[in-house]
Amino acid sequence: HTLNKYGLNYKLRGHKLSINKARRLKKLVLEGRLKPTTLAKMFGVSLVQIYRIRWGELWGKLNVDDVNLDAEEEKEPLSNVA
C-alpha cells in the first residue's frame, strides 16, 4: 500500500474521494450540521461510511482543523455520481 502524508492510500482502486474531498467530508461530519444521509448523497458514499468517519474508524488520523469549507481551492464537484 502507498500512503500519503495523511496516512491514506487514496490512489488505490475503489477509493471514491480525493484528499480534498475526504477532508471536507470529515469536517462536515464532525460539525454535525448536515444529516448523515445528506452527506452520503452529496459525496457519493454509503451511509455506513459516514458513520465510520464519525466514530473514527475511517480517516482517524486525517487532520481537518485547517479545512476552510468556503475556500475557492476546495470547491470541486462533490459527487462522482453523474
Side-chain angles (χ1 to χ4, degrees):
H1 298 279
T2 305
L3 300 179
N4 63 11
K5 67 180 180 178
Y6 301 109
L8 298 175
N9 51 2
Y10 69 98
K11 288 191 177 185
L12 296 179
R13 193 165 147 161
H15 290 257
K16 292 184 176 185
L17 301 176
S18 67
I19 290 297
N20 284 340
K21 287 181 186 177
R23 294 179 77 225
R24 290 173 64 197
L25 176 54
K26 183 175 178 182
K27 178 84 169 187
L28 289 167
V29 168
L30 295 178
E31 282 183 349
R33 288 192 261 164
L34 295 173
K35 292 181 181 180
T37 52
T38 302
L39 290 172
K41 288 177 186 175
M42 283 174 60
F43 284 86
V45 298
S46 72
L47 188 56
V48 172
Q49 299 304 82
I50 300 297
Y51 284 107
R52 290 181 71 201
I53 294 165
R54 180 185 283 175
W55 298 328
E57 293 177 13
L58 285 178
W59 308 330
K61 295 181 181 180
L62 186 64
N63 185 351
V64 296
D65 293 338
D66 63 340
V67 173
N68 181 355
L69 296 173
D70 297 323
E72 278 301 313
E73 68 270 7
E74 293 189 350
K75 290 195 183 228
E76 58 181 289
L78 296 178
S79 179
N80 294 334
V81 179

